[in-house]
Amino acid sequence: MAYSQFKTIASVKMAFDLTVVEGKRFLPELDDITPSAILAGYLQESLPIVATSGSEKARSEGIIYPVLLEVRRYLDRHVSLFSGEDFNVDETVGLNGQCDFLITRSTEVLEIEAPAIIVVEAKKTDLKTGFGPCIAEMVAAQRFNQDQGNEIATIYGSISNGIQWQFLSLTESMVTIDLAVYALPPVEQILASLVWMAS
């Protein structure tokens, strides 16, 4: 039993009694964030290679992780980023396993500290296959924060293959899925969205 068992939105809805709203944009209109020279240079090198790769690992390491590091840098390291960490919250209901990426609103980097605010599920190509696991990880983050006495109103999620990004939010038992697919490049709006969620 793990996050990956939730293959569909229906399976995670049923397991955790969630209501799902599709199509609603929950992000406000945001000003672009210009990437640092470090990220811009890195993406210039990595995008041509990674964009043609069928490897989820290449996409995770070559695009997603550098973008999330930039979010941390932009927020002056007041958030922490975890990659491939075990996030075992409640094994009895399948809220266990590894999160591809997890951002916390804590400066602790040795272990995951509440509040967890954003989970990012990396996919090879088809984003749709990431919704079930991503929502399960968001529920886990919500419960983790409650258990740690550091509850926040909304947990955010993203599913990405590096080139395409989709965003979700979880407030109480309501999951909102923005059906728009945001492209990278350009990176400016992706950065703005992630920074807004982390803030």
Side-chain angles (χ1 to χ4, degrees), residues 12 41 57 118 121 182:
V12 77
K57 187 171 188 287
I118 304 174
E121 177 76 8
Y182 299 87

Side-chain angles (χ1 to χ4, degrees), residues 144-192:
F144 175 77
N145 293 343
Q146 290 167 350
D147 292 347
Q148 299 295 315
N150 203 341
E151 210 169 332
I152 56 174
T154 303
I155 304 294
Y156 296 100
S158 179
I159 301 156
S160 177
N161 60 20
I163 306 299
Q164 299 171 308
W165 297 67
Q166 276 190 273
F167 299 112
L168 307 81
S169 68
L170 171 65
T171 304
E172 296 179 351
S173 61
M174 172 81 71
V175 177
T176 302
I177 301 174
D178 184 346
L179 292 181
V181 177
Y182 299 87
L184 186 163
V187 71
E188 286 80 356
Q189 263 302 301
I190 304 292
L191 281 176

Side-chain angles (χ1 to χ4, degrees), residues 9-190:
I9 294 172
S11 65
V12 77
K13 265 175 67 174
M14 187 180 302
F16 302 110
D17 195 25
L18 301 172
T19 301
V20 174
V21 176
E22 296 180 357
K24 183 178 173 188
R25 179 181 165 91
F26 56 83
L27 293 164
E29 292 301 319
L30 299 164
D31 292 332
D32 286 353
I33 291 179
T34 303
S36 66
I38 295 169
L39 179 63
Y42 187 86
L43 290 177
Q44 187 175 5
E45 291 293 324
S46 68
L47 273 169
I49 298 166
V50 175
T52 58
S53 172
S55 163
E56 185 177 304
K57 187 171 188 287
R59 290 165 181 264
S60 293
E61 294 174 355
I63 302 174
I64 300 171
Y65 191 67
V67 168
L68 297 177
L69 275 178
E70 182 82 353
V71 170
R72 183 171 185 264
R73 186 182 304 118
Y74 186 86
L75 293 173
D76 202 24
R77 296 169 179 80
H78 288 139
V79 297
S80 290
L81 170 61
F82 298 89
S83 173
E85 294 281 332
D86 285 332
F87 191 51
N88 299 322
V89 176
D90 187 347
E91 293 185 32
T92 63
V93 293
L95 297 180
N96 61 289
Q98 287 186 345
C99 282
D100 289 332
F101 300 100
L102 178 68
I103 294 177
T104 66
R105 204 174 281 158
S106 163
T107 56
E108 301 290 326
V109 296
L110 293 178
E111 63 181 12
I112 298 169
E113 294 279 336
I117 48 174
I118 304 174
V119 296
V120 180
E121 177 76 8
K123 300 313 295 176
K124 192 184 302 184
T125 49
D126 185 6
L127 298 185
K128 189 175 178 183
T129 62
F131 282 113
C134 186
I135 295 168
E137 290 163 15
M138 292 164 70
V139 170
Q142 185 182 61
R143 292 188 182 187
F144 175 77
N145 293 343
Q146 290 167 350
D147 292 347
Q148 299 295 315
N150 203 341
E151 210 169 332
I152 56 174
T154 303
I155 304 294
Y156 296 100
S158 179
I159 301 156
S160 177
N161 60 20
I163 306 299
Q164 299 171 308
W165 297 67
Q166 276 190 273
F167 299 112
L168 307 81
S169 68
L170 171 65
T171 304
E172 296 179 351
S173 61
M174 172 81 71
V175 177
T176 302
I177 301 174
D178 184 346
L179 292 181
V181 177
Y182 299 87
L184 186 163
V187 71
E188 286 80 356
Q189 263 302 301
I190 304 292

